[in-house]
Every structure is written in structure tokens, then in C-alpha cells.
Amino acid sequence: PEYAALLLGLVMYTGAFIAEIVRAGLNAVPKGQWEASRAVGLPTGKILRLIVLPQALRVIIPPLTSQYLNLTKNSSLAVAIGYPDLVSTGGTILGQTGQAIEVVTIWMAVYLSLSLLTSGFMNWFNARHRLVGR
């Protein structure tokens, strides 16, 4: 039950933010782009895939990166509901050994590496979808 509560809470919380980011990104594409592609006779699926999404991704990716990093940090709140994650496991080790500096250093290293990997991947993805100058 702890895992289900954790999963449901994080999915609903993060899903709402990501949905708002995607909505804002799609609304950032000028209405004229939609109208011009409809005038050419493209179906809605192709309009989204070929015209709207490439433009919207330039707006969506930076805040989406922040939200993914926020999700990584929020996962440590699993301790509050009793789900044994990294923080609670480290707390058990801390209580048994008394080596606070080592345990906190491991926590910092794990969260730093997860954050750097997430940020690095999203920066690479952002660079791939960057607007290319002529």
C-alpha cells in the first residue's frame, strides 16, 4: 500500500504540472500555423507531428527538465509514508552505525548523480530540437 500511495501521489502531482507545461507549449505555437496547415489540407495527426510539435518542443523542454528534476527530489518524500527508499535505508544505517557524514555523503552523491544525468539528457535532447539557423 505504501508503494501505491507513493506512485499515485507522485503521478498525480507531477502529471498535473507536465500537462500544464505541454498545454502551454502547444498554445505557444501561433494560431496561423494551425490555420495554414489546415488550408494545405493536412490531417490533424500530421499537423501535430510535422508542424506544431517541433515548434512546441522548443518551449516545452526547458520547464519539463525542471519538472523531472523536481520529481527526482520529491521521490525522497516516500519516507513520510513509510516506503523504504534511499533516505529511509540510509536512516536505518545511520541509526545502526552512527556514521552520519558517510550516509549523508552517499545521499548527496546519489541525488547529485541522478540530477546530473537527468539534466544532461534533457540538455542533449534540447540541443537536438534546437532551432537551426540558416
Side-chain angles (χ1 to χ4, degrees), residues 76-90:
S76 68
L77 296 175
V79 174
I81 61 168
Y83 186 73
D85 71 332
L86 175 70
V87 176
S88 65
T89 305

Side-chain angles (χ1 to χ4, degrees), residues 26 69 71 77-78 87 98 101 110 114 117 119 123 125:
L26 291 176
L69 292 172
L71 174 63
L77 296 175
V87 176
I101 295 175
V110 169
L114 286 173
L117 284 172
S119 180
N123 285 336
F125 192 75

Side-chain angles (χ1 to χ4, degrees), residues 6-131:
L6 173 66
L7 185 67
L8 183 67
L10 283 177
V11 165
M12 289 179 63
Y13 179 76
T14 306
F17 279 102
I18 290 177
E20 183 62 22
I21 290 168
V22 171
R23 185 203 60 79
L26 291 176
N27 284 343
V29 176
K31 190 176 179 182
Q33 297 287 326
W34 290 88
E35 293 171 352
S37 56
R38 282 192 191 107
V40 175
L42 288 174
T44 306
K46 283 194 175 186
I47 293 172
L48 281 171
R49 187 170 42 96
L50 299 175
I51 296 169
V52 175
L53 276 179
Q55 295 177 59
L57 280 176
R58 294 181 185 100
V59 177
I60 291 172
I61 292 173
L64 195 61
T65 302
S66 296
Q67 192 56 41
Y68 286 149
L69 292 172
N70 196 15
L71 174 63
T72 304
K73 292 183 280 183
N74 286 342
S75 68
S76 68
L77 296 175
V79 174
I81 61 168
Y83 186 73
D85 71 332
L86 175 70
V87 176
S88 65
T89 305
T92 303
I93 294 170
L94 176 65
Q96 291 176 355
T97 64
Q99 297 176 330
I101 295 175
E102 291 84 355
V103 171
V104 172
T105 303
I106 290 171
W107 285 339
M108 289 179 1
V110 169
Y111 280 108
L112 177 66
S113 62
L114 286 173
S115 295
L116 287 176
L117 284 172
T118 303
S119 180
F121 173 75
M122 291 303 287
N123 285 336
W124 169 80
F125 192 75
N126 192 23
R128 266 191 71 147
H129 290 75
R130 178 179 49 219
L131 184 61

